[in-house]
Amino acid sequence: MFEFFKLNRQILGMNCRNLEYIRPFNRSRAKKLADNKLLSKKILKKNNISVPKLLAKISNLQELESFDWQSLPESFALKPNRGFGGEGILVVYGKKKPARNPAERDSVAGGDKNDAWIKADRTLISIEDLKTHIRNILDGSFSLSGTPDTAFFEERLQLLKLFKPYSYKGIPDIRVIVFNKVPLMAMLRLPTKSSSGKANLQQGAIGVGIDIATGTTTTAVLGKNKMIDYIPGTRLLLSGIKIPYWNDILKLSVRAQEISNLGFLGADIAIDKINGPTIIELNARPGLSIQIANLSGLKRRLEKVKDLKIKTIEKGVRVGKDLFGGEIEEELEEISGRRVIGTVEKVKLISKDGQETEVEAKIDTGAYSTSIDIELAKQLGFEKLLENFSKISLANYNLKPENESFIKKDFLEKYKISLPELEDISIIFSSNGASIRPVVKLNLIIDSIEITSLINIADRKYLNYSMIIGKRNLGKFLIDVNK
Amino acid sequence: MNTSPIIDFFLHQGVPFETVILILMLPIIATFIAFLRQVVGIKAFGIYAPLIVTFAFLATNGLKYGIAIFVTVIFTGMLMRFVLKPFRLLYLPRVALMLTAVAILILGVLVIGGEFRRTGLAAVSIFPILIMITIVEKFVAVQIEKGDKVAIVLAIETLFISIIGFYIASSENLRSFLALYPWIIFFTIPINILLGKWTGLRISEYFRFHKIMKNL
């Protein structure tokens, strides 16, 4: 019996959510914004927040009849403007080429399948099917109050490679509950076959709890109530996934709350391959299953945050992390005395005049030293050095591995005075010949640790990352390939 | 039977006793349904559907016929969804077609009832039947929005609430109590205010969240 009371104190139930949080904190104006997807998209966009691109909208039957179906891309999402709980959303993943044999085509039930798109379950959907679906949307079959609605097409986001093995067809998204500018709880929602590619728990998606402090997944629930460890049918562990851009996601969710004025907000954020964290939807009545996914209650968290006065987004995020984050990573970091970083990290480089430049760097344990791109080096104030360096003729040197130490010594003796910023040179021998790279001293901040290091400057124009960090600078870190 | 003066007054004015009692029952059943939703967590199709089905049950001759008609309605609703799916119809015409199908089937059930000398079924007055047929619209709406499974669960919950409502409303004790003290229906006002302010977990939520309990 005592345990029941405990549950009652910690878990947020439907009654409490409606009466104590939605009613007083989500005013009807703000709710209207959240319930109107097109409007919230517009307003978020105006505030420079990344949202999925609107392709077209259809608000009445005339527009439906005159709609140019050829204007649609191969993949898109069709949504009701005022839909609720993921109902009425139709996602297609590709276009089927028209059948060659017209007789065969006519024999297919459902009329003209000339133009057809492919749904998550591999079934085809024809223009006629789309039209019926849109008519139902216009009729208000999926809208909250059953009133006539608008249908719209939006671009389908590009799936991040990291999530590919975990999600069936659709794009996973991250639900963050924000209250009083503090992110309280988060969950990664993975579409499954039974949710037909939609990231909605009610329809059978997987919800994975996330540690607010680190963005690492913890426990997972399938559908409404089944706790799972692995993706069904696979050996893919659901815990320990590092959500990329975690800080940005939390900041984005708090920012969305500021803009929308929803005191108690469920922000749905997906990570687009190109645009990064993108807000897909704002939710004025966020569901309660997030508590099961995290095996933790929201009520206590809400009460803790209620009386705080938080001015900035950064502060809100920090409070959320400190109050509600677990200590998984901290524990590891404490034991080893090292920070855990991923294979790609944001690194701050400090230029000579003290300015910070942030770049994404590849953590390369196969390289010994750290190197940055010429262009980047120029930005950091080494323009002059590079200019003078390129003037030096290297023809006098016989670039062979056995001459390396001699060349270095000779080179530095000759040019050290004219090139004061040059700390060293490094000679790189590779299959397409040898080259000499200038080495400079630079301060960099990796995961809040500042390091002063010698860094060589190379032409990385055609490489993915303008910076790689080699073994020499990684002594203070542990690398988590999942991060 | 002892009756309160106000009831006597109603009867004197020519309002039938049965009508007075049923009308007085309405706030009690409604409060009961609100209680089931807020405290127990049984959703059903809102408040109107279980309420009206309860009264339809009261108006049919015996609960079993009422249940038979209700089940027929829901069953037809399910069946017709599959039948009508390939035609891709808009909402209202589709519901109209469903109502047609339900009407025909109910007629069939009544005829079969007559064949088996179940005269009670055929003698059911038309209004409760019509009331239950209209439940199909609620059913179809939920089917489209939330899928078959949810629609069936909600239909069963509606049936469940209506059956209990039926027993409450046909309880002789309650009826004579109401006849004696009709003013007690005003007690539903504070009860509903309390229910409206109730923020505790619903009983169903204890089950829903029981897995978290071990972790707290």
Side-chain angles (χ1 to χ4, degrees):
Chain A
M1 201 59 212
F2 179 70
E3 275 176 333
F4 277 101
F5 285 122
K6 206 162 138 194
L7 201 61
N8 204 352
R9 274 209 316 272
Q10 306 231 358
I11 304 286
L12 183 70
M14 208 56 109
N15 294 332
C16 188
R17 180 196 78 172
N18 293 345
L19 206 63
E20 290 187 0
Y21 294 99
I22 292 183
R23 202 66 75 71
F25 294 104
N26 290 353
R27 308 310 306 185
S28 68
R29 243 183 103 104
K31 252 193 284 198
K32 256 181 212 153
L33 170 72
D35 293 341
N36 185 337
K37 293 192 181 111
L38 285 168
L39 183 63
S40 44
K41 194 192 272 290
K42 202 168 121 190
I43 288 183
L44 288 171
K45 203 176 163 190
K46 219 158 92 190
N47 283 282
N48 287 323
I49 284 179
S50 163
V51 289
K53 210 172 100 198
L54 180 68
L55 298 171
K57 66 172 180 176
I58 296 177
S59 37
N60 54 45
L61 289 171
Q62 282 91 338
E63 283 180 32
L64 177 62
E65 284 316 313
S66 59
F67 188 72
D68 175 19
W69 297 95
Q70 301 309 322
S71 69
L72 290 175
E74 295 211 337
S75 72
F76 58 80
L78 170 60
K79 294 182 175 178
N81 187 27
R82 291 164 196 280
F84 180 64
E87 309 288 343
I89 295 177
L90 200 148
V91 187
V92 301
Y93 300 89
K95 205 168 177 176
K96 193 183 179 266
K97 289 178 186 78
R100 294 238 159 60
N101 183 355
E104 193 181 299
R105 199 171 68 216
D106 293 341
S107 68
V108 179
D112 187 21
K113 289 244 174 182
N114 216 347
D115 264 312
W117 282 268
I118 302 160
K119 283 200 292 184
D121 54 2
R122 300 246 164 90
T123 56
L124 289 184
I125 183 156
S126 66
I127 289 180
E128 269 314 304
D129 294 325
L130 284 174
K131 273 186 175 173
T132 313
H133 191 81
I134 293 170
R135 278 192 208 107
N136 273 326
I137 292 176
L138 296 178
D139 266 6
S141 299
F142 307 107
S143 71
L144 264 174
S145 45
T147 47
D149 199 1
T150 302
F152 67 94
F153 296 95
E154 69 178 20
E155 68 168 346
R156 203 167 68 86
L157 298 178
Q158 300 268 327
L159 183 60
L160 213 61
K161 223 184 212 160
L162 164 71
F163 289 136
K164 216 165 221 167
Y166 295 101
S167 58
Y168 181 84
K169 296 289 177 184
I171 304 279
D173 68 11
I174 294 146
R175 157 69 59 88
V176 186
I177 302 276
V178 190
F179 179 64
N180 194 12
K181 290 196 186 170
V182 179
L184 295 186
M185 202 178 262
M187 141 172 97
L188 172 69
R189 303 190 297 181
L190 300 169
T192 61
K193 202 167 183 176
S194 57
S195 75
S196 53
K198 287 177 222 167
N200 205 292
L201 252 61
Q202 273 161 10
Q203 299 178 1
I206 296 171
V208 196
I210 304 174
D211 173 41
I212 284 276
T214 57
T216 315
T217 57
T218 52
T219 44
V221 61
L222 173 67
K224 277 183 177 161
N225 222 338
K226 194 171 170 231
M227 302 307 297
I228 50 173
D229 290 327
Y230 299 93
I231 299 246
T234 69
R235 298 302 288 168
L236 278 169
L237 198 60
L238 283 163
S239 60
I241 306 170
K242 275 270 181 189
I243 312 275
Y245 307 105
W246 183 240
N247 230 359
D248 297 343
I249 289 171
L250 292 181
K251 274 194 220 157
L252 195 59
S253 64
V254 180
R255 178 108 174 81
Q257 182 185 36
E258 273 189 348
I259 294 167
S260 67
N261 251 325
L262 286 161
F264 179 60
L265 166 74
D268 292 349
I269 298 169
I271 303 173
D272 183 55
K273 210 167 163 181
I274 299 152
N275 295 324
T278 299
I279 293 198
I280 343 185
E281 219 182 292
L282 300 176
N283 231 303
R285 304 166 195 80
L288 303 172
S289 297
I290 191 169
Q291 300 177 104
I292 305 175
N294 280 285
L295 284 180
S296 176
L298 262 176
K299 200 172 177 182
R300 211 24 106 60
R301 298 192 182 189
L302 284 160
E303 280 160 8
K304 269 188 191 164
V305 167
K306 211 168 191 170
D307 298 325
L308 299 179
K309 283 221 166 16
I310 286 164
K311 288 212 178 88
T312 65
I313 294 175
E314 284 74 15
K315 170 89 180 174
V317 169
R318 209 160 58 229
V319 168
K321 283 181 165 184
D322 286 348
L323 285 181
F324 309 121
E327 280 128 24
I328 318 170
E329 196 155 296
E330 280 80 18
E331 254 172 56
L332 182 64
E333 287 173 350
E334 217 162 273
I335 295 165
S336 63
R338 290 172 188 163
R339 307 281 296 172
V340 178
I341 56 171
T343 49
V344 175
E345 275 289 320
K346 281 198 173 150
V347 175
K348 280 195 186 125
L349 300 165
I350 299 163
S351 70
K352 288 193 303 177
D353 49 13
Q355 270 195 339
E356 287 183 4
T357 310
E358 194 175 62
V359 293
E360 275 197 351
K362 188 173 164 61
I363 307 299
D364 188 351
T365 52
Y368 174 70
S369 52
T370 294
S371 117
I372 59 173
D373 184 47
I374 293 175
E375 287 305 313
L376 185 60
K378 281 181 186 165
Q379 279 175 38
L380 293 167
F382 294 107
E383 195 151 4
K384 194 131 198 197
L385 167 78
L386 288 164
E387 201 181 308
N388 292 332
F389 189 84
S390 62
K391 282 180 192 153
I392 297 167
S393 163
L394 304 172
N396 302 336
Y397 297 113
N398 185 7
L399 293 175
K400 288 261 171 62
E402 56 267 30
N403 297 339
E404 189 177 347
S405 54
F406 166 74
I407 297 172
K408 268 191 181 177
K409 200 174 155 217
D410 186 63
F411 193 98
L412 287 172
E413 260 169 28
K414 275 189 189 152
Y415 300 108
K416 181 72 184 136
I417 299 157
S418 61
L419 299 171
E421 289 155 324
L422 191 73
E423 293 288 335
D424 195 0
I425 55 163
S426 75
I427 306 169
I428 306 293
F429 305 97
S430 70
S431 49
N432 35 9
S435 61
I436 296 182
R437 294 178 185 176
V439 172
V440 296
K441 198 184 242 174
L442 199 60
N443 283 349
L444 39 128
I445 301 174
I446 309 173
D447 197 42
S448 77
I449 292 183
E450 188 166 348
I451 304 169
T452 305
S453 173
L454 294 176
I455 285 171
N456 70 53
I457 299 171
D459 185 3
R460 302 185 56 81
K461 208 181 336 182
Y462 299 107
L463 298 166
N464 284 336
Y465 297 95
S466 56
M467 177 172 191
I468 58 166
I469 299 175
K471 276 184 278 193
R472 172 151 69 182
N473 300 123
L474 293 171
K476 289 178 180 162
F477 303 96
L478 291 174
I479 294 143
D480 178 353
V481 290
N482 291 317
K483 190 163 176 172
Chain B
M1 190 191 271
N2 294 326
T3 49
S4 124
I6 181 94
I7 302 275
D8 288 338
F9 172 71
F10 291 151
L11 297 179
H12 186 73
Q13 295 297 317
V15 187
F17 178 73
E18 192 59 30
T19 308
V20 174
I21 289 296
L22 279 186
I23 290 177
L24 291 178
M25 247 350 148
L26 193 109
I28 294 177
I29 304 292
T31 305
F32 172 68
I33 296 171
F35 172 83
L36 287 184
R37 161 69 77 91
Q38 298 319 131
V39 179
V40 182
I42 301 176
K43 281 203 191 102
F45 297 131
I47 191 164
Y48 174 75
L51 192 67
I52 203 77
V53 172
T54 301
F55 283 93
F57 282 172
L58 286 170
T60 51
N61 316 339
L63 187 60
K64 56 184 171 183
Y65 301 126
I67 295 177
I69 294 169
F70 185 88
V71 170
T72 312
V73 168
I74 297 301
F75 175 74
T76 321
M78 254 158 50
L79 194 75
M80 285 306 281
R81 180 167 153 91
F82 290 108
V83 175
L84 293 177
K85 213 170 189 178
F87 295 103
R88 297 200 205 97
L89 299 172
L90 290 179
Y91 182 67
L92 286 190
R94 183 161 46 170
V95 173
L97 271 177
M98 290 223 179
L99 288 172
T100 311
V102 175
I104 293 169
L105 225 83
I106 291 283
L107 207 56
V109 168
L110 293 184
V111 170
I112 293 167
E115 186 72 18
F116 285 98
R117 306 258 175 268
R118 295 274 181 198
T119 44
L121 193 56
V124 172
S125 67
I126 184 65
F127 276 103
I129 297 181
L130 287 179
I131 283 171
M132 279 198 271
I133 291 177
T134 55
I135 293 298
V136 89
E137 197 205 345
K138 274 274 176 203
F139 185 73
V140 175
V142 176
Q143 240 180 0
I144 294 178
E145 276 179 34
K146 308 252 158 113
D148 294 304
K149 215 172 136 190
V150 178
I152 289 170
V153 169
L154 291 186
I156 292 169
E157 288 182 354
T158 303
L159 183 63
F160 175 73
I161 293 180
S162 303
I163 291 172
I164 300 179
F166 170 83
Y167 280 114
I168 292 176
S170 51
S171 136
E172 264 321 308
N173 291 336
L174 187 61
R175 288 165 71 96
S176 42
F177 190 71
L178 263 182
L180 201 55
Y181 308 105
W183 304 108
I184 60 149
I185 60 160
F186 289 110
F187 272 112
T188 58
I189 296 171
I191 293 175
N192 276 308
I193 290 175
L194 276 181
L195 285 177
K197 293 279 178 199
W198 168 251
T199 59
L201 285 181
R202 298 173 185 173
I203 290 173
S204 63
E205 285 173 335
Y206 281 106
F207 290 100
R208 181 179 174 192
F209 295 123
H210 78 276
K211 282 188 173 116
I212 306 179
M213 195 151 60
K214 292 172 218 147
N215 245 45
L216 290 178

